[in-house]
DNA sequence: TGATCGTAAACTGTAGACAGTATACGACAT
DNA sequence: ATGTCGTATACTGTCTACAGTTTACGATCA
């Protein structure tokens, strides 16, 4: 039972989480139709929980719905991705600035552990791509948490990271990006350690824009093939 | 025969909108419990659409739900409001910066119309509070739209403005705030007209922080009474 | 009198059936 | 052959009924 949380999960919760996983991992492809009936049959529940799960996918930004027609998994264009990166820049730069004002020594230590863990990864040592699912994810989560702003944290974790993950995965193979990203992460942590909000925000902005350039070129490359 | 809207609304849509209005206007007070049955009876629908409406209220940030227990209208503390203002600052400053890069002449004209409309309001002329429901709302909507970033626009319109509105209404009575706000708005438009992103972002940040200080003191004053 | 346990009531969660709507396909007319 | 209309089908939207859970209240016992 991985159901050790305080309140017992409802069927809708379970279906929702499993669909999110399936989308993020790639088992359900972008643009796929999401039929209430199909989901209900697939997970052995009635249409109620299936329908509810789809609503929550829509709220999360992973699906689009049209009344009386149905829902589909979002299929982001390059423009959509640009919009998403702009949104992420707004949220995460603010989170980083607030974190510089409010972060505790223990939270700084967590970030430094993250960096150490990343530096030891074989991909980094070999100079290849360093992004593994959940890898720098932890890093960004820790910063969002250190902002001590619950709404900001939830906006990032619920509505940004999971939506971007399938597309970041595609673009994480660029050679050399691993070490570059690690350097940028170090700059962010350094600014946070010295509690310099302006520097922290600037370092995060530089990191996200660099990540966008990388994602953009990978996206265009993938489209040509 | 078609309904006069593009796609015919579902019952859940209607119930949702009516509850949002009731909360924003103040007919349903902050902290009130939202019973599925009660809503269903009140709007002459079954529990299905009522339940769906509550889900959407939760996604919007206007209600909180606990499984097997129920939902309540959010009741924001001062700390919650601070978090919300920080989130708003992040989103709206980004929107303003992007708007400075992308705004059309027609969109600038709309903003200038907004300012003219505000300046002519009797409250402003009399030096009283200038905020009327929907008044500067239009202004901020126009800027969000001028960012030409759909996700940013929706985050602001769906998840920020409606949640804040009940609390901004309380705090809009401060004498002299009307003219101050109008000045700040003019500074924003001036920066947008000259397509200066940094200046536009700074002007918006100043406006939001000023608005926060005003809201904060009004909140504390209201609590003491 | 106080605390604890058990029962009942009220609510949410889930299932299944019915109703309404949009799309797709085929028949018909031009 | 092509365009249009009508019907059929499959899907979502809605309703009702039932099951499960949580809270609250009252009875019982120390």
């Amino acid at each position: 039972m991985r159901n050790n949380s305080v309140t017992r999960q409802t069927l809708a919760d379970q279906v929702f989480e499993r669909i999110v996983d399936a989308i993020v991992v790639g088992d359900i492809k972008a643009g796929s139709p999401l039929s209430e009936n199909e989901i209900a049959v697939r997970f052995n529940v009635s249409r109620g929980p299936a329908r509810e799960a789809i609503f929550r996918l829509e709220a999360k930004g992973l699906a689009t719905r049209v009344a009386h027609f149905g829902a589909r998994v979002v299929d982001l264009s390059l423009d959509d991705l640009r919009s998403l990166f702009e949104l992420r820049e707004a949220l995460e730069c603010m989170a980083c600035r607030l974190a510089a004002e409010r972060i505790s020594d223990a939270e700084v230590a967590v970030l430094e552990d993250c960096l150490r863990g990343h530096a030891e990864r074989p991909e980094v040592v070999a100079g290849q791509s360093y992004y593994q699912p959940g890898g720098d994810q932890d890093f960004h989560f820790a910063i969002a948490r250190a902002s001590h702003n619950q709404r900001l944290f939830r906006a990032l974790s619920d509505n940004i990271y999971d939506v971007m993950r399938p597309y970041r995965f595609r673009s994480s193979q660029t050679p050399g990006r691993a070490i570059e990203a690690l350097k940028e992460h170090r700059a962010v942590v350094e600014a946070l350690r010295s509690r310099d909000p302006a520097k922290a925000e600037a370092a995060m902005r530089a990191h996200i824009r660099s990540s966008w350039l990388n994602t953009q070129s990978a996206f265009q490359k993938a489209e040509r093939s």
Side-chain angles (χ1 to χ4, degrees), chain A residues 35 52 78 91 107 127 145 149 164 166 196 209 221:
Chain A
S35 154
E52 188 181 324
L78 191 55
L91 294 173
E107 287 169 331
R145 209 174 288 114
N149 181 323
M164 293 186 77
D196 186 333
R209 293 201 174 173
K221 208 171 288 177

Side-chain angles (χ1 to χ4, degrees), chain A residues 66-184:
Chain A
V66 177
H68 300 109
F69 179 69
R72 312 185 83 86
V73 179
V74 289
D75 188 8
L76 298 182
S77 67
L78 191 55
D79 271 347
D80 292 331
L81 263 183
R82 179 183 291 110
S83 294
L84 207 51
F85 264 93
E86 287 166 356
L87 187 55
R88 183 186 164 203
E89 182 182 320
L91 294 173
E92 207 155 345
C93 288
M94 174 61 85
C96 207
R97 196 170 76 194
L98 294 176
E101 297 170 359
R102 300 169 183 172
I103 196 167
S104 69
D105 290 340
E107 287 169 331
V108 171
V110 168
L111 285 172
E112 287 169 341
D113 278 348
C114 268
L115 290 184
R116 259 192 296 279
H118 292 173
E120 286 164 5
R121 283 176 175 270
E123 319 91 70
V124 176
V125 177
Q128 294 168 356
S129 177
Y130 115 92
Y131 181 66
Q132 295 285 36
D136 76 353
Q137 204 83 351
D138 289 342
F139 177 80
H140 289 279
F141 262 88
I143 290 178
R145 209 174 288 114
S147 76
H148 293 276
N149 181 323
Q150 183 69 11
R151 282 175 184 266
L152 200 46
F153 175 75
R154 291 197 57 179
L156 280 165
S157 62
D158 290 354
N159 300 330
I160 302 285
Y161 294 145
D162 282 343
V163 179
M164 293 186 77
R165 255 174 78 179
Y167 298 85
R168 295 173 75 188
F169 188 76
R170 280 196 214 160
S171 62
S172 61
Q173 313 301 346
T174 315
R177 174 71 192 137
I179 292 163
E180 203 184 326
L182 183 55
K183 276 185 196 165
E184 291 161 6

